[in-house]
Amino acid sequence: MRKPPLHKSFGNAIRGITGMVSSERNFQFHILALIINLFLIVFLELNSTDTALIFIVCFGVMSTEILNTAIEKICDFVHPEFDERIKFIKDISAGAVTLMAILAVIVGFLVYPKYLF
């Protein structure tokens, strides 16, 4: 199978991201969190290291959410009926997002107080 041109690959990726934004409530919440963080970065004038940390965890949470959604969609396609094994796979995937979100909160608690107080 021949690989598509680079611009088509990027187009596919952008379509995937916009699909997530338009159809996944949790991803919309993560986008809102990113917007709030962007506001705080500008308003509090974070240094470049702290800004990078905030971006890393924000995009880490969003990337993990995308992978979680992909795993859930594959599971639903392969086995549409309820199955305890599929439920466990989905729970593991959701757990990865939760761990990344916990890390993001921890980083926020480490970064933002020095700018607020």
Side-chain angles (χ1 to χ4, degrees):
M1 180 175 178
R2 192 176 156 170
K3 290 186 177 183
L6 187 60
H7 71 280
K8 286 195 177 188
S9 294
F10 279 113
N12 293 338
I14 297 298
R15 191 169 40 258
I17 293 168
T18 57
M20 286 292 295
V21 171
S22 65
S23 67
E24 297 296 322
R25 186 191 74 234
N26 286 346
F27 196 77
Q28 294 166 357
F29 177 74
H30 299 314
I31 294 291
L32 176 62
L34 175 63
I35 291 168
I36 291 168
N37 277 289
L38 286 170
F39 171 78
L40 290 172
I41 287 166
V42 172
F43 182 75
L44 298 174
E45 300 176 359
L46 271 64
N47 67 39
S48 58
T49 302
D50 290 337
T51 298
L53 284 171
I54 296 298
F55 277 139
I56 288 168
V57 294
C58 282
F59 282 90
V61 170
M62 291 189 301
S63 297
T64 311
E65 184 65 46
I66 288 171
L67 293 172
N68 175 51
T69 300
I71 290 167
E72 289 181 350
K73 299 289 184 192
I74 290 169
C75 286
D76 291 343
F77 178 77
V78 171
H79 202 290
E81 310 85 40
F82 178 80
D83 185 298
E84 280 295 326
R85 297 169 297 180
I86 296 294
K87 179 186 179 308
F88 185 62
I89 293 167
K90 289 180 173 186
D91 290 349
I92 291 169
S93 181
V97 178
T98 302
L99 287 176
M100 195 66 209
I102 290 169
L103 175 62
V105 170
I106 290 169
V107 168
F109 278 126
L110 293 172
V111 168
Y112 287 125
K114 63 185 171 187
Y115 296 95
L116 293 170
F117 307 111

